[in-house]
């Protein structure tokens, strides 16, 4: 009987030990499962936080970009001044081009005026030469006329005009014509001829 009792005791002790071992195993599994959940939750939280951090816009302090109102206003002012300077530069360039074009036109017009003046001077010289030739021929004609024939012509002339012809004639021919003129007419012509010769240098 004692042997059976001891066998029963050992069996019951073994069952108790097995039961306790199973409980410990189950407890260990629960602990391990909880630990894994905590680790996974912490990892997800860390990943979420990292994602949120990456998606979150970087603050101005992080980017080191000036966003203060004063600096933004200064930047706007500088931009406006630059645009105004560019506009003024364009206006000055256009004005310079207009001035250059006007100078070219004025130079061309000046050359045209110089050419016209030279042509006019030639024409006047030709006219003066022709007139001088005509006067010279008239003077020679009056000199070759008899005084009584030439006198009526000088009577019809204006005194200054007649004085011009007589002043270019030979002295003897001019004196003969003067003797044939009316005394008052001859006196007026003499005064004009004397006034013209008064300004002639004597030396």
């Amino acid at each position: 009987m004692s042997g059976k009792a001891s066998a029963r005791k050992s069996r019951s002790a073994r069952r108790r030990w097995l039961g306790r071992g199973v409980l410990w195993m189950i407890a260990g599994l629960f602990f391990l499962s909880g630990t894994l959940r905590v680790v996974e939750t912490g990892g997800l939280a860390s990943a979420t936080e990292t994602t949120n951090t990456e998606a979150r816009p970087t603050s101005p302090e992080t980017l080191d970009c000036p966003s203060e109102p004063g600096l933004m206003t200064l930047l706007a002012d500088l931009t406006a001044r630059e645009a105004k300077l560019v506009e003024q530069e364009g206006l000055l360039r256009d004005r310079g081009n207009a001035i250059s074009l006007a100078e070219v036109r004025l130079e061309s017009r000046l050359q045209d005026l110089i050419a016209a003046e030279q042509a006019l001077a030639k024409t006047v010289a030709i006219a003066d030469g022709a007139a001088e030739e005509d006067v010279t021929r008239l003077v020679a004609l009056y000199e070759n006329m008899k005084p009584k024939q030439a006198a009526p012509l000088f009577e019809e002339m204006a005194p200054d005009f007649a004085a011009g012809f007589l002043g270019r004639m030979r002295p003897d021919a001019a004196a003969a014509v003067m003797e044939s003129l009316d005394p008052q007419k001859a006196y007026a012509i003499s005064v004009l001829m004397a006034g013209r010769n008064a300004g002639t240098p004597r030396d």
Side-chain angles (χ1 to χ4, degrees):
M1 292 292 293
S2 59
K4 292 180 178 180
S6 61
R8 290 177 182 174
K9 288 181 180 180
S10 68
R11 287 177 183 173
S12 60
R14 188 177 299 170
R15 288 177 182 173
R16 290 177 184 174
W17 185 84
L18 288 174
R20 291 179 180 176
V22 171
L23 291 174
W24 281 107
M25 288 180 64
I26 292 171
L29 289 174
F30 276 116
F31 179 75
L32 183 59
S33 176
T35 302
L36 289 175
R37 288 182 179 178
V38 170
V39 171
E40 288 178 358
T41 304
L44 288 174
S46 177
T48 303
E49 184 177 356
T50 302
T51 303
N52 292 335
T53 303
E54 292 177 355
R56 187 180 305 159
T58 307
S59 62
E61 292 77 11
T62 305
L63 292 177
D64 197 18
C65 294
S67 61
E68 288 79 0
L71 293 179
M72 297 303 292
T73 303
L74 178 60
L75 179 60
D77 291 342
L78 290 176
T79 303
R81 289 183 182 179
E82 183 179 4
K84 188 174 182 180
L85 288 176
V86 170
E87 182 181 0
Q88 291 179 351
E89 183 179 0
L91 293 175
L92 290 175
R93 189 183 304 110
D94 294 340
R95 186 176 299 176
N97 293 334
I99 291 174
S100 300
L101 183 59
E103 289 178 351
V104 172
R105 291 180 177 176
L106 287 175
E107 183 66 24
S108 178
R109 185 68 180 276
L110 180 61
Q111 295 299 326
D112 293 341
L113 290 176
I114 291 174
E117 183 179 2
Q118 292 175 352
L120 180 62
K122 291 180 180 179
T123 303
V124 171
I126 293 173
D128 289 343
E132 182 65 23
E133 291 179 0
D134 293 340
V135 171
T136 301
R137 281 195 292 266
L138 284 174
V139 169
L141 177 64
Y142 292 145
E143 286 178 344
N144 294 324
M145 292 177 65
K146 293 181 179 180
K148 291 183 178 181
Q149 294 176 344
L153 297 175
F154 281 90
E155 289 283 354
E156 297 297 329
M157 295 181 188
D160 55 348
F161 195 70
F165 278 108
L166 290 170
R168 299 183 65 167
M169 291 172 62
R170 295 192 313 270
D172 58 336
V177 172
M178 291 284 287
E179 289 178 357
S180 301
L181 292 176
D182 180 74
Q184 293 183 354
K185 186 78 172 186
Y187 176 77
I189 293 174
S190 299
V191 170
L192 289 173
M193 292 178 67
R196 290 180 181 179
N197 294 327
T200 304
R202 297 180 180 179
D203 296 335

